[in-house]
């Protein structure tokens, strides 16, 4: 029995989607249990009364600020996180002889300065925001600089199978004044500075969405993953059940065919036993008529063992299926027959066998 890889793949995909849904659902439940600080002043009061042993995971909102902001070179925007990338775009010669466009990263630089969230009542510094979930940087500028085309450089690039188009420079920035919601572990040092950082175990989000929007979004994805998991599981079970049913029916057909063959052999042995006990002239004539029906259609000399017309028809159809896979030479010798000659002979030979059986059956009946 061949393994139904389609059904197995659907079941594995269903399991993966189920785990993703469980993970999103757990994240949503954790965010529901996070303490919400109405203001930085309230957060300071909570930290003063909170346990020093267990980490305190809170959600804080405010506007991005910094005492030493970064200034983008291309756009001039002020930000606290700046990422600069440079991509070399070019055309390369593939094996088919055509030119396809491709790119390669030449430069990737990320800068970050100390920054905080300010809600009007105080400041909360954020540490390690680039590794947080939900962080989205604004595209400050995209500039495409065409490559200088000289004869020597163009010739060298052409010999290497390349055509340089230019360099695309992109700046992404977290601008100052952006409203953000930060979920993480809140700590307070000896001088009274409050920081939010990634907890040892728990959520860490830096997102322009509010805490309620984050919970709603995670719950929506959890439901979507669960529905997709159920769909893949149902389809996978259907494919597995279909393959199992086909295997069962195939084995049943084989068993019935074996029973028919054994029954035919038993009937033949019974006829031979009856003929050996003594027969009359009428029985001799009947035996001769029966012998005509029992002649093998392949050699026309011996009696057949078990020949079924539908088996010959199946071989005929199988011969038709071979038409698309027949090579130029139809046998391993060096002689090169015209294409499909041997297969045509085989097909006509099967047709002749079927007509011969039908003709003999019509003559007898």
């Amino acid at each position: 029995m061949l393994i139904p890889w389609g059904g197995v793949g659907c079941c594995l995909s269903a399991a993966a989607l189920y785990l993703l849904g469980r993970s999103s659902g757990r994240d949503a439940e954790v965010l529901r249990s996070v303490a919400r600080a109405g203001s930085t002043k309230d957060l300071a009061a909570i930290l003063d009364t909170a346990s020093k042993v267990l980490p305190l995971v809170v959600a804080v909102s405010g506007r991005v600020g910094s005492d030493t902001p970064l200034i983008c070179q291309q756009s001039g925007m002020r930000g606290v996180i700046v990422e600069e990338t440079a991509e070399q775009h070019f055309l390369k010669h593939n094996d088919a002889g055509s030119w396809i466009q491709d790119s390669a990263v030449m430069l990737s630089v990320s800068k970050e300065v100390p920054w905080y969230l300010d809600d009007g009542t105080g400041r909360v510094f954020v540490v390690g925001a680039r590794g947080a979930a939900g962080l989205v940087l604004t595209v400050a500028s995209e500039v495409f600089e065409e490559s200088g085309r000289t004869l020597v450089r163009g010739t060298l690039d052409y010999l290497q199978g390349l055509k340089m188009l230019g360099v695309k420079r992109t700046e992404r920035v977290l601008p100052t004044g952006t409203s953000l919601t930060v979920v993480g572990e809140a700590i307070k040092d000896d001088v009274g500075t409050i920081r939010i950082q990634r907890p040892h175990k728990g959520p860490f989000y830096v997102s322009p969405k509010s805490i309620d929007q984050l919970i709603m979004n995670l719950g929506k994805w959890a439901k979507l993953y669960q529905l997709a998991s159920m769909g893949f599981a149902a389809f996978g079970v259907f494919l597995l059940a279909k393959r199992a049913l086909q295997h069962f029916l195939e084995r049943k057909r084989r068993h019935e065919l074996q029973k028919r063959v054994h029954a035919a052999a038993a009937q033949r042995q019974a006829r031979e036993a009856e003929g050996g006990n003594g027969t009359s002239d009428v029985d001799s004539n009947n035996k001769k008529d029966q012998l005509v029906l029992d002649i093998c259609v392949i050699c026309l000399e011996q009696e057949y063992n078990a020949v079924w017309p539908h088996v010959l028809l199946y071989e005929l159809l199988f011969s038709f299926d071979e038409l698309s896979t027949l090579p130029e030479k139809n046998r391993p010798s060096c002689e090169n027959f015209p294409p499909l000659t041997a297969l045509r002979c085989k097909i006509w030979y099967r047709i002749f066998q079927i007509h011969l059986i039908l003709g003999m059956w019509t003559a007898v009946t």
Side-chain angles (χ1 to χ4, degrees), residues 327-338 342:
E328 288 292 333
K329 292 188 177 182
N330 297 309
R331 62 182 187 179
S333 64
C334 60
E335 183 179 358
N336 186 11
F337 288 97

Side-chain angles (χ1 to χ4, degrees), residues 220-343:
K220 186 185 300 182
W221 278 106
K223 292 181 180 179
L224 182 61
Y225 286 140
Q226 290 177 359
L227 291 176
S229 175
M230 294 173 60
F232 274 97
F235 189 64
V237 170
F238 168 74
L239 293 179
L240 292 176
K242 179 182 177 182
R243 185 68 185 92
L245 180 60
Q246 290 177 349
H247 181 68
F248 172 76
L249 294 177
E250 183 179 354
R251 293 193 61 180
K252 184 178 179 181
R253 285 194 296 267
R254 289 180 180 178
H255 182 68
E256 292 177 353
L257 182 59
Q258 290 178 357
K259 289 177 61 178
R260 293 175 63 182
V261 171
H262 292 321
Q267 291 178 3
R268 181 182 176 185
Q269 291 177 0
R271 289 196 303 269
E272 290 177 354
E274 292 176 357
N277 293 332
T279 57
S280 61
D281 295 337
V282 178
D283 293 336
S284 179
N285 293 333
N286 292 335
K287 187 175 180 180
K288 291 180 180 180
D289 295 338
Q290 185 65 29
L291 184 61
V292 174
L293 294 177
D294 292 342
I295 292 178
C296 177
V297 297
I298 303 299
C299 63
L300 299 177
E301 294 179 359
Q302 304 294 330
E303 295 181 28
Y304 74 89
N305 292 326
V307 177
W308 308 97
H310 63 271
V311 175
L312 297 177
L313 182 59
Y314 173 80
E315 293 184 0
L316 176 62
L317 297 177
F318 182 78
S319 300
F320 279 115
D321 291 337
E322 291 180 339
L323 286 173
S324 59
T325 60
L326 190 68
E328 288 292 333
K329 292 188 177 182
N330 297 309
R331 62 182 187 179
S333 64
C334 60
E335 183 179 358
N336 186 11
F337 288 97
L340 306 181
T341 300
L343 187 56

Side-chain angles (χ1 to χ4, degrees), residues 51-66:
S51 174
K52 303 298 182 181
V53 178
L54 298 176
L56 178 63
V57 180
V58 298
V60 181
S61 299
R63 292 187 177 275
V64 176
S66 177

Side-chain angles (χ1 to χ4, degrees), residues 30-38 43 46 56-60 182-184:
V30 170
L31 288 181
R32 289 190 182 95
S33 63
V34 167
R36 303 187 185 188
L43 178 60
I46 294 174
L56 178 63
V57 180
V58 298
V60 181
V182 179
V183 179

